[in-house]
Structure formats: structure tokens, C-alpha cells
């Protein structure tokens, strides 16, 4: 059974930084990849960033480009999201997602974590 477990969320002041982690267990994701999404209250889920497992190629949403960095540790089967220059608008529930199928960057993920709260105060 595949399990994705996020950690590292919390409360931070605007301008601060946080690093999210997502530990994957139950399988590896071969030619697929992993991603981060977020959902703020009253809004739809939003794609943030993804990384392809084979070559570490990455893709970012315009809203986080230059501030957030996605990375992975193959040996630990763990995904990271370094978030810098955080803004109150980044407040949301952040989800880790994974796919073992062909990676379409912002869609098509069959595995999801439970989510972790990130709150940025002004």
C-alpha cells in the first residue's frame, strides 16, 4: 500500500521560510514523478510544482517560481519543497502527490498525502 506522509508545515511570518517533506512508502515511482499542490479555504486545489523521477526535471507554477524549490532524495524516497519569501497568500493546506505513470506535471496523480497546513502571518 502506498503512503505519502507530509511534514514540516506550521506558522511563519511573511518573508520567512519553511521546508516541507513528503516521505513515500510502499513503492517507488519509476518513470513517473511527484508534486506539490495546495488548497486555500474556499479555493480550488492549485498545482505548485513537480519533479520527474528519472531526470529530476522540474516544473513550477508562476505563482511560486523563484520562491519555491522542489527536490527529491531518491535513496530516501522523499520529496521536498523549500519555500522562501513566504506571503500570506501562500497560506493553504499543502498536499504531496505521486504517480508511477507518465508524468503530466500538473495532473494525473494517483497517490495523495493527507495534507499539511502552512499559515503565513502578515
Amino acid at each position: 500500500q502506498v503512503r505519502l506522509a507530509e511534514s514540516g508545515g506550521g506558522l511563519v511570518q511573511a518573508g520567512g521560510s519553511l521546508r516541507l517533506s513528503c516521505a513515500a512508502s510502499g513503492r517507488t515511482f519509476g518513470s513517473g514523478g511527484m508534486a506539490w499542490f495546495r488548497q486555500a479555504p474556499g479555493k480550488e486545489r492549485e498545482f505548485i510544482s513537480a519533479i520527474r523521477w528519472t531526470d529530476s526535471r522540474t516544473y513550477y507554477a508562476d505563482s511560486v517560481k523563484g520562491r519555491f524549490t522542489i527536490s527529491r532524495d531518491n535513496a530516501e524516497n522523499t520529496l521536498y519543497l523549500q519555500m522562501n519569501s513566504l506571503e500570506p497568500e501562500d497560506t493553504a493546506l499543502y498536499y504531496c502527490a505521486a504517480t508511477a505513470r507518465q508524468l503530466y506535471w500538473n495532473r494525473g496523480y494517483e497517490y495523495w498525502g493527507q495534507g499539511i497546513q502552512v499559515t503565513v502571518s502578515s
Side-chain angles (χ1 to χ4, degrees), residues 39-77:
Q39 188 167 20
K43 294 187 177 181
E44 293 188 353
R45 187 170 60 195
E46 173 191 17
F47 167 80
I48 297 173
S49 182
I51 187 167
R52 191 159 59 195
W53 224 241
T54 53
D55 60 5
S56 294
R57 182 179 175 184
T58 59
Y59 184 70
Y60 293 92
D62 288 343
S63 59
V64 303
K65 202 173 292 184
R67 300 189 298 124
F68 291 10
T69 303
I70 192 171
S71 62
R72 55 100 189 259
D73 182 329
N74 275 10
E76 298 293 329
N77 218 27

Side-chain angles (χ1 to χ4, degrees), residues 36-40 42-48 93-97 106-109 112-113:
W36 291 98
F37 289 76
R38 67 186 181 188
Q39 188 167 20
K43 294 187 177 181
E44 293 188 353
R45 187 170 60 195
E46 173 191 17
F47 167 80
I48 297 173
L93 195 60
Y94 283 68
Y95 295 92
C96 170
N106 61 353
R107 59 184 173 90
Y109 295 89
W112 291 86

